[in-house]
Amino acid sequence: MTRTLAASLSALALAATGSAYAQSHDHGSHAAPAAGVQAPAAPAARPTIASSIKDLLNNEQTRAVLEKHLPGISQHPARPQFEDMTLAEVAPLSQGAVTAEIIAAIDADLKKLPSA
């Protein structure tokens, strides 16, 4: 499983690199921040299935859930290329390493975690 995950996520990294480049160079849709206006800090909520992989890996409890279903994901060499994506965004690029069934299992386990 780990070898399959590594190969699949390596391919994902290549695909994500082009997408990230395109997104990072599209400045036409960004509004300038208002001077002196600060957004209120949101309460620290536990990441969910809709969170980025980075957010899931940065939380000890949710990282354990990801590692259970996708062993080695936190140490994957291509992590910088996919960590800002959600699992649903990674799935079609993962060559079958991240399936709808795995995402559903992760979601179920995340929902079982005690409230923050």
Side-chain angles (χ1 to χ4, degrees), residues 13-96:
L14 292 173
T17 301
S19 174
Y21 178 81
Q23 290 176 358
S24 70
H25 289 81
D26 177 20
H27 300 291
S29 63
H30 300 293
V37 177
Q38 249 182 317
R46 178 176 291 113
T48 68
I49 200 71
S51 301
S52 71
I53 293 171
K54 181 189 332 184
D55 288 344
L56 289 164
L57 291 174
N58 285 339
N59 178 290
E60 185 177 328
Q61 293 176 318
T62 57
R63 179 179 51 246
V65 171
L66 276 188
E67 284 290 341
K68 173 184 170 185
H69 296 282
L70 298 168
I73 190 168
S74 65
Q75 300 302 315
H76 194 281
R79 179 177 166 183
Q81 283 78 37
F82 64 79
E83 69 180 1
D84 289 325
M85 301 169 78
T86 66
L87 290 167
E89 291 170 332
V90 167
L93 306 172
S94 72
Q95 298 179 348

